[in-house]
Amino acid sequence: EAAVTQSPRNKVAVTGGKVTLSCNQTNNHNNMYWYRQDTGHGLRLIHYSYGAGSTEKGDIPDGYKASRPSQENFSLILELATPSQTSVYFCASGTGISGNTLYFGEGSRLIVV
Amino acid sequence: GQQVQQSPTSLVLQEGENAELQCNFSTSLNSMQWFYQRPGGSLVSVFYNPSGTKQSGRLTSTTVIKERRSSLHISSSQITDSGTYLCAMSNYNVLYFGSGTKLTVEP
């Protein structure tokens, strides 16, 4: 069974603080993705990666950095958190082969106050 | 970015009724997928359907590439079908999602 694990599952951060969302996958998939989900917007792609050491910008990368130190781990970093980054964040992994589906984590709920 | 539009935004059914969910996309694509998201939870793939019609149990997906649309038909709805259904179009390695249709099935 494919497994994508996110941490923390819930986080309250202060404006201007640093937040790191972590994602671990045991699928040995090359590709990993970070999305955020907000009411009325569906899932929007923030950053993605083709493998260890690679990060690519998605549709809404501003205010976010990403890090892929290994095949298994992909982190999303908010250096200076803002209230507009309050959202639910989903990590996913996939093989990258056309037509192959993504496997999602359970989501990380972030509130920035 | 890519544009994926879903309709309706929400749908309330009585148990046993059928549902038809629509997805339209603005550009050409490699593939189309449908995902189910349980309330407050994660997403799981229910259909990969780049073209034509596919059926799995009570679910049927039809994708017409030339018309840039895909539909998901749920027959004889059950309370456990409640949740949000999202379509996603694939452009090579990246999936772009619609906003979803929230389905509520009542007894």
Side-chain angles (χ1 to χ4, degrees), chain A residues 19-98:
Chain A
V19 176
T20 300
L21 303 180
S22 300
C23 179
N24 176 274
Q25 55 110 350
T26 59
N27 311 320
N28 197 32
H29 286 161
N30 289 331
N31 291 10
M32 296 186 74
Y33 308 81
W34 276 106
Y35 290 88
R36 63 177 283 178
Q37 186 175 34
D38 304 285
T39 302
H41 289 281
L43 273 77
R44 292 181 290 174
L45 182 64
I46 307 170
H47 283 288
Y48 60 104
S49 169
Y50 292 124
S54 115
T55 61
E56 306 289 336
K57 293 181 179 180
D59 286 339
I60 53 164
D62 292 346
Y64 302 93
K65 292 183 180 179
S67 174
R68 182 86 182 271
S70 65
Q71 179 84 336
E72 297 79 17
N73 295 294
F74 189 39
S75 297
L76 186 69
I77 304 153
L78 291 67
E79 294 279 3
L80 295 170
T82 68
S84 64
Q85 293 175 312
T86 293
S87 187
V88 180
Y89 293 85
F90 285 96
C91 176
S93 74
T95 63
I97 298 172
S98 180

Side-chain angles (χ1 to χ4, degrees), chain B residues 41-62:
Chain B
S42 185
L43 290 84
V44 293
S45 177
V46 293
F47 264 116
Y48 162 67
N49 185 16
S51 65
T53 297
K54 289 190 175 183
Q55 182 176 0
S56 176
R58 295 182 294 105
L59 301 181
T60 302
S61 172
T62 299

